[in-house]
Amino acid sequence: MLRGQFPLAGLPAWCVLNNITFAGVRVANIEGRGLGLVAEKRFNSEEDEPLALLTIPKELVLSAASIEDYAKENKDFRRLLDVAGRQSLRRDVLLFLLTQLVLSSPEYSGGLGASTAWTQYFKLLPVHVPVPTMWSGSELALLKGTSLEPAVSAKLIALEREFNHIRDATSDLQRWNELIGVEEKINIKDWILLDAIYRSRSLALPKSGESMVPCLDLVNHSSPATAYFEENTKDDVVLLLNKGLSLLEQEELTIDYGHDKSAAEMLFSYGFIDSASPAKSIILPVDSMGDDPLAKAKLYAFGSAPTLKITDTDTGVPKWEAPFVYLMCLNDEDGLRFKVLQETDGSQHLRMFWQDIDVTLEAGTMETLITGHKLCQIFRLRVVTVVLGMIQQQLEVLAAHDEETMLVGGEISHVHLAASRLRAVEKDLFERSLQLLEHEKAQLFQVESVTAYLAAMNGTEKDTNDDEDFS
C-alpha cells in the first residue's frame, strides 16, 4: 500500500505534541547507519543519579496492554483483532501496524477509525529493512550453506501462510476485505515489511515486556554500548547514559541489541552483523531418518522442532547440543517403545518408554537417560556420526557456493558483505566442530564395549551371509 510521508524535520514538533522529551540529544542522519541519536553537548555519567537523555511516556509504548486499550477505543481494530489476531503478541502488534499503515496512507478513504500518535510516527518508519526476508532471490542465494538458508525459507513460508489466513479471516469485514481481498492494496509484501519492522525495532522492556517504543527505536547498536533503557517509577521509558562513561558533543548514543546473539540472529533480526561481538553459535534443523518407523512418534513425543546447536566457547573448543538426535538414534531393539494408552474418559495419549520406564515427559533428556546402559557408548557413537554427517554436508554446500559469492570488480553491497561475514563465521565454527567430532569418533572406536559390539555385529552379519550362500 502507498506509504505516507513524514519528514525528519517534523519529528521535533511531533515529540513536543506527544510529551517525548530530549535532554541534550537529538535525532540525526548518521553516515552508513541511517537515523540515530547524537549528543548536543558533552556528558559525564559520574553523577549518582543518571540523567534521562530521552523520556517516552508510557501511553506511547506499543505493548500487549496498549494493544488491548486501542481495541477498546477502536471497534474496527477490535473486529480485526477478534477474527485474525489474539494468537500471539507479535501477530497483534503486526495487525496494529497494519492498521496504522492504512490510516497513514494517502490512499486511505476512511472507515477504519481515527488516527493515533502512532499513525503519524508510522510514516517515519523505513520502507525497506535490510533483513534477509526482504532480500531479492539473488541475494538470498548468498546464504546457501549457512544456518540462515533454511531459517529464512521457513520464515517466508510462515509469513505467506499467515497473510493468507488474515485475508481469509477478514473476508466478512467489508473494508478490510476490500483492501486485502478485492482491491489488493495490501499484499504479502506489506506483511513481510511489517514483520521486518517489528523484528528489527521491538525491545524487551523490564515491566511491559516485548514492546515498540517510538524514538527509542531510532537508537543504533554497538557493543559495548554507551547507553541503556529502562522503565521508571511512572512506567515511562527512559534512555540513560552508562555509568562511568563520557560522551562528546556530536558523539552517537548507542544501546546493546543483544551481545549474546549470534551472527545469524543479528543478521536475521536487524540486517547486520556486529563484528565486535564475541557470541558465535549456529542452529540447524534436524531431519528425522526417512526409514525410521518410529519417526512420527519420536517427533510427537519430543514436542518441539528438533535442532542442532553449536556454540563457541572462550577456550575455542565448540560445544554442541542435539537432544533429538539421541532420541532419533534409539529404536525398539535398544529398549525404546511407544504405547497408546486410553484413559477412563475415552481419550488416548501416546506414552514413551525407555527400558520399560515411562519417560514421556523426559524425551529431551535421552542423553542423560542412556547413561549407565551397557550400550551407552554405542548410542553416543551413533549420535556423533549423525551430527558429524550434518556438519560435513553443511561444509560441502558452503564450499560448493563459495565461488558464487565472489564479486569480480564493482562495489560490495551491504547484503553481500553481511552474507560473506556470516559464511566466514559459520565456516570457521563448522570446521572446528568437525575436527572435534572426528576426534571423538576415533576415540569411541577404541572403547572396549564399542569394539566388542561391532565385532559381534560383524560376526552375526557374516553368519547370516554364510547361511544365505549355503541355501
Side-chain angles (χ1 to χ4, degrees), residues 72 190 253:
K72 293 174 184 176
D190 294 314
L253 281 94

Side-chain angles (χ1 to χ4, degrees), residues 1-218:
M1 193 169 192
L2 189 63
R3 290 285 298 274
Q5 300 298 314
F6 181 32
L8 183 60
L11 183 61
W14 181 87
C15 289
V16 171
L17 183 64
N18 290 283
N19 299 316
I20 295 177
T21 58
F22 292 81
V25 297
R26 62 183 176 84
V27 179
N29 269 303
I30 299 170
E31 186 176 356
R33 292 168 66 85
L35 296 179
L37 223 59
V38 297
E40 293 184 313
K41 62 179 183 178
R42 183 183 177 89
F43 285 100
N44 192 307
S45 64
E46 294 300 330
E47 294 85 358
D48 292 335
E49 281 294 324
L51 175 66
L53 305 175
L54 172 65
T55 304
I56 302 98
K58 65 178 181 180
E59 293 78 16
L60 291 179
V61 175
L62 184 53
S63 63
S66 63
I67 291 289
E68 287 301 322
D69 290 342
Y70 184 64
K72 293 174 184 176
E73 299 168 3
N74 186 324
K75 68 178 187 301
D76 297 289
F77 176 70
R78 184 171 65 253
R79 290 170 184 164
L80 174 64
L81 201 61
D82 288 341
V83 300
R86 303 196 186 284
Q87 298 182 27
S88 68
L89 173 59
R90 173 192 156 276
R91 171 80 70 87
D92 294 348
V93 172
L94 261 60
L95 291 173
F96 175 87
L97 294 176
L98 181 65
T99 302
Q100 306 315 308
L101 168 64
V102 175
L103 295 176
S104 64
S105 173
E107 298 180 286
Y108 176 58
S109 57
L112 291 176
S115 298
T116 69
W118 265 95
T119 307
Q120 184 71 357
Y121 187 75
F122 184 86
K123 299 177 185 178
L124 188 68
L125 299 180
V127 296
H128 178 79
V129 182
V131 294
T133 48
M134 298 201 71
W135 290 5
S136 66
S138 60
E139 290 171 334
L140 286 175
L142 299 173
L143 297 177
K144 286 187 177 296
T146 70
S147 63
L148 271 193
E149 182 188 11
V152 174
S153 176
K155 181 66 172 179
L156 288 171
I157 292 172
L159 287 171
E160 185 172 6
R161 187 186 304 118
E162 195 173 38
F163 180 76
N164 290 340
H165 168 74
I166 291 169
R167 182 189 57 207
D168 296 341
T170 55
S171 59
D172 292 332
L173 302 182
Q174 181 182 352
R175 191 69 188 103
W176 284 109
N177 184 48
E178 291 172 359
L179 288 168
I180 302 175
V182 181
E183 301 171 2
E184 296 185 351
K185 289 184 177 180
I186 298 173
N187 55 43
I188 182 61
K189 290 183 178 179
D190 294 314
W191 191 249
I192 291 173
L193 172 61
L194 296 179
D195 170 77
I197 287 174
Y198 176 70
R199 193 155 20 104
S200 61
R201 290 173 175 266
S202 61
L203 302 164
L205 295 178
K207 301 177 185 177
S208 302
E210 198 73 16
S211 305
M212 290 183 69
V213 186
C215 293
L216 182 60
D217 63 0
L218 301 177

Side-chain angles (χ1 to χ4, degrees), residues 16 40 42-43 45 230 235 253 266 336 386 408 416 438 455:
V16 171
E40 293 184 313
R42 183 183 177 89
F43 285 100
S45 64
E230 63 178 27
D235 292 337
L253 281 94
M266 291 295 289
L336 180 70
V386 169
V408 181
H416 195 282
E438 286 178 334

